[in-house]
């Protein structure tokens, strides 16, 4: 039987060839990639967008099963990562919101700096950051910066998505054509 190639090793050989990933980093990226596809299909009607994330946040917050602890934990992690200094500002810019997403970028930036934001806006901001992780990973942006240092981003994102999915799955979303 032929030995299976480690896809991450192959990518690094074909690109820069430096900074091989730890097994835990590989597993976090794999798990995030696989679970994102499931989450998007179940929660976002196979059509994730910033507008859809806003609707998902509203629906989840209004649900009796919602408990804000995990959102607050995830938001605290994002605040630490993306606010407070020059390095954090650079990390926030690396989320790479698209030009047409500026209002969502501003919302996330505001929530990360505002301890009084509503539970709905806190969850929406977390989901918007997770959507940027997805877009940056699937469209190659994470590869230009390396996947090193991304493990906790993926782990925190997975925790929140796994919590939200049972609350919001199979919801028939209607988001004004977005």
């Amino acid at each position: 039987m032929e030995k299976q190639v480690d896809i991450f090793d192959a990518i690094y050989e074909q690109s820069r060839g430096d900074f091989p990933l730890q097994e835990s980093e590989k597993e976090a990226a794999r798990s995030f990639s696989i679970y994102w596809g499931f989450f998007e299909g179940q929660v976002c009607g196979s059509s994730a967008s910033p507008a859809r994330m806003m609707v998902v946040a509203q629906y989840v917050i209004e649900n009796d099963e919602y408990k804000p602890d995990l959102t607050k934990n995830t938001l605290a992690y994002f605040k630490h990562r993306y606010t407070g200094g020059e390095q954090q500002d650079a990390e926030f810019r690396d989320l790479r919101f698209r030009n047409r997403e500026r209002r969502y970028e501003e919302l996330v930036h505001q929530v990360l700096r505002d301890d009084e934001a509503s539970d709905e806006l806190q969850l929406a901001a977390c989901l918007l950051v997770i959507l940027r992780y997805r877009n940056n990973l699937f469209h190659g942006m994470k590869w230009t910066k390396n996947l090193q240092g991304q493990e906790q981003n993926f782990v925190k994102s997975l925790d929140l998505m796994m919590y939200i999915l049972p609350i919001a799955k199979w919801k028939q979303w209607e988001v004004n054509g977005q």
Side-chain angles (χ1 to χ4, degrees):
M1 189 163 144
E2 216 174 300
K3 182 183 177 211
Q4 186 174 1
V5 174
D6 183 311
I7 194 68
F8 291 100
D9 292 343
I11 289 169
Y12 277 92
E13 280 179 28
Q14 295 169 19
S15 61
R16 296 185 278 292
D18 56 355
F19 304 115
L21 296 172
Q22 300 296 316
E23 287 304 316
S24 61
E25 292 171 310
K26 293 175 185 179
E27 183 55 34
R30 269 188 211 101
S31 296
F32 178 84
S33 298
I34 292 167
Y35 198 80
W36 173 266
F38 183 64
F39 179 85
E40 184 174 12
Q42 300 292 306
V43 174
C44 304
S46 298
S47 183
S49 69
R52 182 69 44 100
M53 295 296 104
M54 300 297 292
V55 172
V56 169
Q58 179 183 7
Y59 178 78
V60 169
I61 294 298
E62 292 172 353
N63 191 292
D64 291 340
E65 295 177 48
Y66 176 72
K67 305 289 185 262
D69 293 348
L70 190 57
T71 300
K72 292 190 184 309
N73 181 300
T74 305
L75 185 66
Y77 171 78
F78 290 156
K79 282 183 178 192
H80 178 74
R81 182 166 178 88
Y82 296 116
T83 63
E86 195 173 305
Q87 176 63 34
Q88 290 85 352
D89 290 342
E91 294 288 348
F92 186 80
R93 283 190 303 277
D94 281 344
L95 289 173
R96 298 179 185 183
F97 282 88
R98 295 175 290 186
N99 286 335
R100 69 176 187 256
E101 297 174 347
R102 290 296 175 223
R103 70 181 176 146
Y104 300 110
E105 179 180 20
E106 290 168 9
L107 181 144
V108 170
H109 199 256
Q110 177 185 350
V111 169
L112 291 176
R113 291 180 168 7
D114 179 6
D115 291 332
E116 301 301 318
S118 69
D119 286 348
E120 182 179 333
L121 288 180
Q122 290 179 22
L123 179 56
C126 289
L127 290 173
L128 289 166
V129 169
I130 293 168
L131 179 63
R132 293 310 311 148
Y133 290 165
R134 177 264 184 216
N135 288 345
N136 291 341
L137 179 65
F138 290 7
H139 296 289
M141 299 304 205
K142 286 257 182 249
W143 298 103
T144 62
K145 187 175 180 198
N146 263 333
L147 284 177
Q148 285 189 314
Q150 305 298 316
E151 180 179 356
Q152 284 304 305
N153 294 347
F154 294 142
V155 168
K156 293 291 186 184
S157 298
L158 278 164
D159 287 346
L160 189 59
M161 288 189 301
M162 291 171 74
Y163 171 70
I164 288 170
L165 189 135
I167 297 172
K169 81 177 203 173
W170 301 115
K171 173 71 178 149
Q172 296 299 312
W173 303 109
E174 295 178 19
V175 186
N176 302 327
Q178 295 185 15

